[in-house]
Amino acid sequence: MQTEAVLELHGGSQSSCKTGSKSWQYSDLMEKVDGYLMKYTNLVTGWQYRYFVLNNEAGLLEYFVNEQSRNQKPRGSLPLGGAVISPSDEDSHTFTVNAISGEQYKLRASDAKERQHWVSRLQICAQHHTEAMGKTNPPLQTRSLSMASQGSGSSPGSQHTINQNSNALLGLSQLQRGSSLYSSRKSLLPDHLLEAREMLLLQMMSQAQGQHRDLIQSIEGLPSSQGPSPLDQDLLLLKATSLATMTCLSDCLHILQLQQVARQKLPLCGPALEWLEPKLPDILKNGGTLPSITKDDGKTEGTILEPLEMDSCDIAGEQEEIDATQEVEDSTPAEEEDLGAVEEERSVILHLLSQLKLGMDLTRVVLPTFILEKRSLLEMYADFMSHPDLFVAITDGSSPLDRMVRFVEYYLTSFHEGRKGAIAKKPYNPIIGETFHCSWKVPKATMPPSAVPKEGTSCASDCYNVRYVAEQVSHHPPVSGFYAECQERQMCVNTHVWTKSKFMGMSIGVTMIGEGNLHLLEHGEEYTFSLPSAYARSILTVPWVELGGKVNVNCAKTGYSAVITFQTKPFYGGKLHRVNAEVKHNPTNSVVCRVQGEWNGVLEFTYTSGETRVVDVTKLPVTRKRVRPNELQGPYESRRLWQHVTESLKERDMDKATEHKRFLEERQRKEERHRAETQTAWRTKYFERKGEDWVYYQPLWKTATHSSSPVSPPQNP
């Protein structure tokens, strides 16, 4: 049976002679798939039509110049065993085939239906041959070995070097298998052999490191004048494979050591260690070396973490009293410093990327600490209100059309302030039960639009007050709810959103799933809207952010709607951060206003009457939010909750920041396990679940009398 599986995997005439039932069942499910697809070659050549054939028996995707040449040797082929086939987010026609060797085909079908047909058939074939590879475990044919037999292109000395170091790489694989077998039997070892086991593992690790070092030195020492160059693609792949293997071995050894320490000490307090498993790449955050977080007495080193005075589950469920008179104008710097550590930490990012596959969900993948922005995601959402004067002015519109256009203007100008600097950084993932409160003082209409009240001046009668509250209402999925209101103007906005991240090669895509609702009570209007996707580009060099996707805004009462399209930069040419929008009157199906420009630059509004209006986002006055000092905040308010992480990042102490961050994350896991064991439902503070939505428990449209702060928490079942 094993021989049959090998023959089936590699194809050939002998495979067709076999009568194994499994092979026939697989063949019966496969249909002949071939046809023309567009293949992306490079920036110069672009897209080209090629004739593709799916070879089910051999597990190959082959292509030819045209259908007439299919009886000749294929122009190229890609093995599907271990391959990942992913539909593209660019459009409904494109998809990618990523082979286990790292080679990629970017293809485009004629329509969405044809793409789905190709993707489904390719995935079935890839799954079958991947399972066959796992069962038979055939030796992988490395292209580095095949180079030595290509004749005059390489010297005998270079052939000897490649063969010698390939044996070293095989030795690494044997060490990895031996380590796995040894660890699987660790429970059978008596206590007096534990020390001997540790010594043996360290010796094996030292031997593997030496072989890896010799391999790298041999490749980098190759003469560039003859034979393969140190920059040869196959040798670079060999180096990367060896490095990834060594890093994986180092991580596994470190995890075993941590688990051994945890079993010996069994601390009753402080961060636990048993959650460190290979599937959680948390130890990759700072080059694979986890700082010591326990002393002999079990206490945490470094800055003392803020202890919980009572069970944190109960604390999280209590409502925090908000005294608006304690709020002061935020003094946090508006700009984030440049991400100078990117070049220094390139190995960490490369290591992390080696664990990922295209299309992989990054929701539970822990990213390195040095790329963190010094604030929580809940606080970042507050930046949507950085121009509260435009928000309050929506209800001043004299007609339904005017109010819709004002909302579109507010919406398009709300993203610029959310990016602190040109470098893309990631805010803290909020802890379940975490909250953030702030407010803004907005001068009334009788005052100049740019007249922002100064700190310490009285604004009770001359300013509108806009209040904001956000809460992390769920952990899986990570749902955030935020609500803002201006009681004097009888308007409020309620939004719930959760982010779903996806690895896309050299970028990361973040989809914003959820919906927002703006209520203008004075006019009895409700506007529903969604949020665009965000993309972190160039994650190996200087990461930056762009927005993409289509957003719909709709007001059912007035019949006006808007479609806003955030355009991502094309592969070649084009401008960054482009956006366009159309405001439409649905009953007449007529476009009444168009907008084009950049969401972080100049926007031009054009009406059907021919009137135009220009808004320069960079010149709009930014109203700083008002926040209570950390010492006056509750234990689960964002700035107080993350204060030790933020202070460590300011001091550029990444080890300490990682330590404090891990403490909060492990405490969350511990509380989640406790709730699961006791079958205790999570109680939110300010938001209630209504079907698939999360709604603020005391919104303006529900209350007859209003107060500037909440008075009682919602009662969850």
Side-chain angles (χ1 to χ4, degrees), residues 325-390:
T325 61
Q326 297 175 341
E327 294 178 335
V328 296
E329 187 173 300
D330 187 19
S331 59
T332 304
E335 293 289 334
E336 279 275 335
E337 68 237 12
D338 288 344
L339 197 59
V342 170
E343 292 296 329
E344 302 171 8
E345 305 288 351
R346 182 183 294 272
S347 61
V348 182
I349 301 179
L350 283 171
H351 188 178
L352 179 63
L353 296 182
S354 68
Q355 316 298 317
L356 307 178
K357 292 183 179 180
L358 285 176
M360 181 178 178
D361 184 5
L362 301 182
T363 303
R364 302 194 184 190
V365 174
V366 183
L367 299 178
T369 304
F370 67 86
I371 69 170
L372 290 179
E373 190 173 334
K374 294 185 285 291
R375 58 176 179 168
S376 172
L377 182 64
L378 298 185
E379 181 174 353
M380 193 193 80
Y381 285 144
D383 288 335
F384 285 118
M385 301 298 298
S386 294
H387 303 299
D389 51 329
L390 296 181

Side-chain angles (χ1 to χ4, degrees), residues 527-579:
Y527 298 75
T528 61
F529 60 92
S530 54
L531 296 171
S533 298
Y535 300 92
R537 307 295 193 189
S538 305
I539 55 180
L540 275 181
T541 54
V542 181
W544 54 278
V545 170
E546 69 171 339
L547 302 179
K550 185 174 295 186
V551 171
N552 294 297
V553 182
N554 185 62
C555 180
K557 179 180 178 180
T558 64
Y560 282 97
S561 64
V563 177
I564 304 173
T565 304
F566 293 87
Q567 301 172 355
T568 56
K569 186 181 183 299
F571 285 106
Y572 185 75
K575 295 183 178 180
L576 290 172
H577 311 306
R578 295 288 298 176
V579 63

Side-chain angles (χ1 to χ4, degrees), residues 253-557:
L253 178 61
H254 197 65
I255 291 170
L256 290 175
Q257 292 172 338
L258 288 174
Q259 291 177 337
Q260 179 64 26
V261 172
R263 284 193 297 269
Q264 291 176 354
K265 296 185 179 299
L266 293 176
L268 298 178
C269 60
L273 299 176
E274 55 268 22
W275 63 274
L276 289 170
E277 301 173 356
K279 65 180 180 179
L280 295 174
D282 196 18
I283 58 175
L284 307 180
K285 292 178 181 178
N286 285 286
T289 302
L290 182 67
S292 174
I293 59 175
T294 56
K295 292 183 179 180
D296 293 337
D297 58 359
K299 295 182 180 179
T300 306
E301 291 183 354
T303 305
I304 300 177
L305 298 176
E306 184 176 289
L308 295 180
E309 300 176 357
M310 57 185 297
D311 183 27
S312 56
C313 296
D314 294 334
I315 290 181
E318 292 180 354
Q319 185 189 355
E320 300 155 6
E321 295 294 336
I322 307 300
D323 186 354
T325 61
Q326 297 175 341
E327 294 178 335
V328 296
E329 187 173 300
D330 187 19
S331 59
T332 304
E335 293 289 334
E336 279 275 335
E337 68 237 12
D338 288 344
L339 197 59
V342 170
E343 292 296 329
E344 302 171 8
E345 305 288 351
R346 182 183 294 272
S347 61
V348 182
I349 301 179
L350 283 171
H351 188 178
L352 179 63
L353 296 182
S354 68
Q355 316 298 317
L356 307 178
K357 292 183 179 180
L358 285 176
M360 181 178 178
D361 184 5
L362 301 182
T363 303
R364 302 194 184 190
V365 174
V366 183
L367 299 178
T369 304
F370 67 86
I371 69 170
L372 290 179
E373 190 173 334
K374 294 185 285 291
R375 58 176 179 168
S376 172
L377 182 64
L378 298 185
E379 181 174 353
M380 193 193 80
Y381 285 144
D383 288 335
F384 285 118
M385 301 298 298
S386 294
H387 303 299
D389 51 329
L390 296 181
F391 173 73
V392 172
I394 296 175
T395 193
D396 289 331
S398 58
S399 66
L401 169 60
D402 190 14
R403 290 190 290 272
M404 174 60 77
V405 173
R406 286 173 180 244
F407 175 78
V408 171
E409 178 182 354
Y410 156 74
Y411 187 93
L412 291 175
T413 59
S414 63
F415 295 97
H416 170 64
E417 186 63 18
R419 297 293 351 129
K420 304 292 187 179
I423 304 299
K425 289 191 176 184
K426 178 183 179 300
Y428 309 141
N429 288 331
I431 302 297
I432 188 170
E434 177 184 337
T435 62
F436 181 77
H437 301 263
C438 66
S439 66
W440 295 266
K441 299 293 186 182
V442 184
K444 293 186 177 180
T446 54
M447 302 176 64
S450 60
V452 179
K454 297 182 179 181
E455 178 67 22
T457 61
S458 175
C459 199
S461 58
D462 297 331
C463 296
Y464 296 121
N465 187 42
V466 178
R467 297 206 54 80
Y468 171 91
V469 56
E471 177 183 2
Q472 190 68 11
V473 296
S474 173
H475 183 44
H476 295 302
V479 182
S480 306
F482 55 94
Y483 173 86
E485 68 176 24
C486 180
Q487 294 180 7
E488 297 93 330
R489 302 310 311 271
Q490 290 290 282
M491 58 186 304
C492 61
V493 59
N494 186 99
T495 307
H496 70 279
V497 62
W498 65 282
T499 57
K500 187 174 183 180
S501 305
K502 184 167 62 175
F503 179 61
M504 301 170 61
M506 289 298 100
S507 62
I508 295 176
V510 182
T511 304
M512 309 287 281
I513 303 173
E515 186 179 78
N517 294 275
L518 170 69
H519 295 262
L520 304 181
L521 303 184
E522 180 182 350
H523 306 284
E525 298 172 356
E526 178 181 354
Y527 298 75
T528 61
F529 60 92
S530 54
L531 296 171
S533 298
Y535 300 92
R537 307 295 193 189
S538 305
I539 55 180
L540 275 181
T541 54
V542 181
W544 54 278
V545 170
E546 69 171 339
L547 302 179
K550 185 174 295 186
V551 171
N552 294 297
V553 182
N554 185 62
C555 180
K557 179 180 178 180

Side-chain angles (χ1 to χ4, degrees), residues 493-710:
V493 59
N494 186 99
T495 307
H496 70 279
V497 62
W498 65 282
T499 57
K500 187 174 183 180
S501 305
K502 184 167 62 175
F503 179 61
M504 301 170 61
M506 289 298 100
S507 62
I508 295 176
V510 182
T511 304
M512 309 287 281
I513 303 173
E515 186 179 78
N517 294 275
L518 170 69
H519 295 262
L520 304 181
L521 303 184
E522 180 182 350
H523 306 284
E525 298 172 356
E526 178 181 354
Y527 298 75
T528 61
F529 60 92
S530 54
L531 296 171
S533 298
Y535 300 92
R537 307 295 193 189
S538 305
I539 55 180
L540 275 181
T541 54
V542 181
W544 54 278
V545 170
E546 69 171 339
L547 302 179
K550 185 174 295 186
V551 171
N552 294 297
V553 182
N554 185 62
C555 180
K557 179 180 178 180
T558 64
Y560 282 97
S561 64
V563 177
I564 304 173
T565 304
F566 293 87
Q567 301 172 355
T568 56
K569 186 181 183 299
F571 285 106
Y572 185 75
K575 295 183 178 180
L576 290 172
H577 311 306
R578 295 288 298 176
V579 63
N580 59 65
E582 288 186 347
V583 178
K584 181 183 293 187
H585 185 236
N586 296 329
T588 60
N589 196 30
S590 58
V591 177
V592 293
C593 180
R594 286 186 169 89
V595 188
Q596 62 179 356
E598 294 86 35
W599 56 265
N600 60 352
V602 177
L603 298 168
E604 182 179 8
F605 291 73
T606 304
Y607 298 86
T608 53
S609 61
E611 177 188 356
T612 61
R613 184 166 57 90
V614 175
V615 176
D616 189 343
V617 177
T618 62
K619 296 181 180 180
L620 292 176
V622 175
T623 304
R624 298 187 68 85
K625 57 181 174 289
R626 301 172 61 85
V627 187
R628 291 180 302 159
N630 290 359
E631 61 271 15
L632 299 180
Q633 295 182 8
Y636 271 74
E637 289 195 63
S638 294
R639 290 195 175 181
R640 179 175 172 184
L641 183 69
W642 294 96
Q643 60 180 334
H644 299 304
V645 179
T646 302
E647 292 168 1
S648 300
L649 289 176
K650 289 179 179 179
E651 298 169 358
R652 296 184 177 272
D653 190 338
M654 299 304 164
D655 290 342
K656 188 178 292 185
T658 302
E659 176 183 330
H660 291 305
K661 179 173 176 286
R662 184 180 293 115
F663 173 82
L664 295 175
E665 293 169 343
E666 171 56 19
R667 188 174 72 182
Q668 180 176 227
R669 295 185 186 96
K670 182 178 179 182
E671 295 170 359
E672 193 171 15
R673 290 193 297 267
H674 174 71
R675 290 194 300 273
E677 292 169 358
T678 59
Q679 296 183 348
T680 304
W682 174 256
R683 294 187 298 114
T684 56
K685 302 184 186 75
Y686 303 115
F687 289 82
E688 301 172 317
R689 186 161 191 170
K690 303 292 185 183
E692 296 297 322
D693 301 335
W694 289 88
V695 181
Y696 187 63
Y697 79 102
Q698 200 178 36
L700 281 180
W701 69 82
K702 278 188 178 181
T703 56
T705 57
H706 312 295
S707 59
S708 61
S709 61

